Amino acid sequence: MALWSGRFEEGQDARTQRFGASLPVDKALFAQDIRGSRAHAAMLAAHGIISEADAAAIDAGLAAIGEDIEAGRFAFDAADEDIHMAVEGELIRRIGDAGARLHTGRSRNDQVATDTRLWAKERAADLMRANLALREALVEAAQAHADVILPGCTHLQHAQPVLLSHHLLAYAWMLSRDFKRLAQARDAADASPLGAAALAGTTYPLDRHMTAGALGFARVIPNSLDAVSDRDFLLDLIYACSVSSMHLSRLAEEIIIWSSAEFGFITLSDAFSTGSSIMPQKKNPDFAELIRGKSGRVVGDLVGLLVTMKSLPLAYNKDLQEDKEGAMDAAGTLEECCWCAAGMVSTMTVNADAMLAQAQKGYLAATDVADYLAKKGLPFRRAHEVVGHLVHLCEQRGCDLADLPLDDLKAECELFEADVAGMLDLPAIVAARTTYGGTGDEAVAVQMGEARADMEADSTLL
Ligand code: ARG
């Protein structure tokens, strides 16, 4: 019979008991549950609500149960509804009445909210670590390939040449924002619901500030109803995971395209590739595809919890038990994706020649040639049209802008001189983009310094 079964005559239907149980999911919270209970018991004793002797027995009993679970020696009983019941029931079996005093002034409603917040804070920190590892890999790759040029695209059409380092740093900045979102989610979780009891507070002189301090919470939630029914901190965490997964999916997509035969921009290391069971020649970017695919599930976790929360009346409702599975899935998935992407990026081979060869196709100098004319006084719109005609001419002849004789250029516009050749050189085109945040070598060096400083500052938040 369950610990709450005093007013019941019959036991629960067995299949329905399993339906209502959350133990398979929330046993992952055993360490947080034991920490929360130890803090609660110490506070009860400090305020004379239970005896020091009972508190000492509870503390030792909980510590021993924690060690048993940790070591895999604890036989969970499927008849226990959740981790709270499993631990408390075992405590009572081990130490008797002292154990039966632990739940004084407490409900599973504030207990589960406490456990879940402690878990969310820890997992946010794990994710922040994984995030930094991936940023480190991206920045290192950007540094290692500082002079590699590839075609920058809009609409996946060749647009203007960019540095590979600039391209990789764009992902580092996306991840920098993800880090801040994770830090915000951690802060959202950093408030103690313990002492709210079932929904209304209790008649015992609980010291909520004491338990909050002992558990490392920054604040105490000021409203008991809100304390037991708020799951915004999990939504914040899953949202942060969703946005970051989306960023990783974009990176994965580029890795997949770049490692195709058509692009050949990168070669993934064997350690981050798979083969085919039928085609002996295959080397597949499975892990990048999985990173791309898993992002869908993470976003599903966010939508799932949002829909679960919608329309819940105050205060605790059993629907809230559905909060943990998706949050754990989102955090676990993103964490693995970050580490996998970091490994992939730091071990991939960059095929600089293939990137440069593609950058030479598609008239990537066109904007610079138009700018050349505009700087000589031709209104930019006219210059755009002149170069458009020249591109058309190149297409008819099957040649590049650099192959057009000066006479043909002059026939389109008198302002062309021999110095236009300087506008057609890819490294010069790149270097000329000196604006802050642009792809010019010097601007990227400045950006690299800022990316490193940003990582350094973020690492102090761990
Ligand atoms: N397993 C429950 C959950 O995860 C714990 C709280 C149960 N509270 C209750 N009043 N039934 O939400």
Side-chain angles (χ1 to χ4, degrees):
M1 293 292 266
L3 289 174
W4 40 250
S5 62
R7 58 99 72 220
F8 289 81
E9 285 180 11
E10 277 183 83
Q12 239 174 357
D13 172 71
R15 189 171 187 142
T16 307
Q17 190 281 331
R18 287 198 296 279
F19 175 72
S22 57
L23 185 61
V25 172
D26 62 28
K27 65 179 166 194
L29 299 181
F30 80 89
Q32 291 81 3
D33 196 67
I34 286 173
R35 267 180 74 198
S37 289
R38 291 175 78 176
H40 180 67
M43 179 276 296
L44 291 178
H47 289 271
I49 303 166
I50 62 172
S51 70
E52 290 291 349
D54 282 349
I58 290 171
D59 197 67
L62 286 171
I65 293 171
E67 279 164 27
D68 288 351
I69 299 176
E70 182 80 57
R73 287 192 298 267
F74 190 89
F76 280 104
D77 182 352
D80 280 324
E81 187 180 321
D82 52 32
I83 186 65
H84 325 296
M85 292 302 200
V87 171
E88 191 188 341
E90 177 66 9
L91 183 70
I92 295 169
R93 275 190 294 279
R94 292 191 187 186
I95 66 167
D97 273 357
R101 293 203 172 91
L102 167 63
H103 212 52
T104 309
R106 190 178 67 166
S107 157
R108 279 184 297 155
N109 298 351
D110 59 340
Q111 187 177 359
V112 72
T114 303
D115 296 1
T116 309
R117 283 172 176 274
L118 289 172
W119 172 87
K121 282 174 63 180
E122 286 165 29
R123 294 300 278 143
D126 293 339
L127 291 167
M128 287 153 75
R129 261 185 289 281
N131 170 291
L132 274 174
L134 176 52
R135 279 154 75 189
E136 186 69 39
L138 288 163
V139 170
E140 285 304 315
Q143 187 80 62
H145 306 289
D147 54 357
V148 174
I149 292 173
L150 78 160
C153 289
T154 59
H155 314 273
L156 202 56
Q157 304 290 319
H158 288 195
Q160 293 175 355
V162 296
L163 289 179
L164 175 63
S165 51
H166 192 51
H167 194 107
L168 294 174
L169 285 173
Y171 284 99
W173 290 115
M174 295 180 211
L175 284 152
S176 165
R177 296 192 295 277
D178 295 342
F179 184 97
K180 278 79 178 168
R181 268 183 282 273
L182 289 165
Q184 279 169 11
R186 184 176 65 170
D187 183 60
D190 201 7
S192 178
L194 196 57
L199 75 164
T202 83
T203 56
Y204 298 97
L206 299 189
D207 185 346
R208 295 191 57 205
H209 294 275
M210 180 180 168
T211 46
L215 292 170
F217 282 115
R219 324 181 283 285
V220 177
I221 300 174
N223 180 306
S224 61
L225 297 167
D226 190 35
V228 295
S229 69
D230 168 33
R231 295 295 183 273
D232 293 358
F233 64 99
L234 284 184
L235 289 171
D236 290 350
L237 181 64
I238 310 176
Y239 174 69
C241 291
S242 297
V243 176
S244 197
S245 294
M246 175 273 287
H247 289 151
L248 263 60
S249 174
R250 294 179 68 179
L251 174 64
E253 168 72 4
E254 299 221 74
I255 288 174
I256 293 161
I257 295 177
W258 285 5
S259 60
S260 68
E262 285 74 11
F263 275 73
F265 282 8
I266 55 170
T267 308
L268 290 178
S269 76
D270 286 357
F272 288 89
S273 310
T274 50
S276 156
S277 58
I278 178 170
M279 297 168 282
Q281 85 286 8
K282 289 295 296 276
K283 180 171 172 182
N284 294 328
D286 276 29
F287 303 110
E289 293 165 67
L290 275 174
I291 291 172
R292 186 177 59 185
K294 283 171 187 284
S295 63
R297 242 192 32 242
V298 176
V299 174
D301 292 329
L302 175 64
V303 176
L305 185 57
L306 276 170
V307 179
T308 296
M309 297 305 297
K310 182 191 83 66
S311 309
L312 287 190
L314 288 174
Y316 179 85
N317 300 273
K318 188 75 163 178
D319 314 44
L320 291 172
Q321 181 165 286
E322 293 298 314
D323 63 350
K324 287 172 277 300
E325 204 168 344
M328 288 176 180
D329 177 60
T333 302
L334 177 62
E335 188 177 28
E336 287 313 303
C337 287
C338 283
W339 288 110
C340 182
M344 215 178 297
V345 167
S346 57
T347 57
M348 70 189 183
T349 305
V350 169
N351 305 323
D353 292 347
M355 292 189 180
L356 190 63
Q358 283 303 322
Q360 268 144 0
K361 295 180 192 164
Y363 318 107
L364 269 65
T367 312
D368 292 68
V369 176
D371 285 343
Y372 165 89
L373 294 175
K375 285 172 189 168
K376 292 198 172 203
L378 192 65
F380 181 76
R381 273 284 152 253
R382 307 260 173 270
H384 186 289
E385 194 183 357
V386 166
V387 181
H389 288 155
L390 293 174
V391 167
H392 188 61
L393 188 61
C394 286
E395 294 219 297
Q396 286 171 334
R397 294 188 190 169
C399 72
D400 191 42
L401 284 170
D403 303 323
L404 294 176
L406 188 57
D407 286 349
D408 286 332
L409 300 179
K410 278 188 173 295
E412 273 299 331
C413 177
E414 272 304 317
L415 293 170
F416 278 117
E417 303 290 345
D419 64 349
V420 70
M423 297 300 117
L424 299 167
D425 172 59
L426 288 179
I429 291 172
V430 169
R433 284 172 166 65
T434 52
T435 36
Y436 175 76
T439 199
D441 312 62
E442 282 175 28
V444 171
V446 170
Q447 185 192 160
M448 178 85 71
E450 293 189 4
R452 286 194 189 281
D454 177 56
M455 280 164 41
E456 191 63 40
D458 282 350
S459 67
T460 65
L461 297 176
L462 286 175

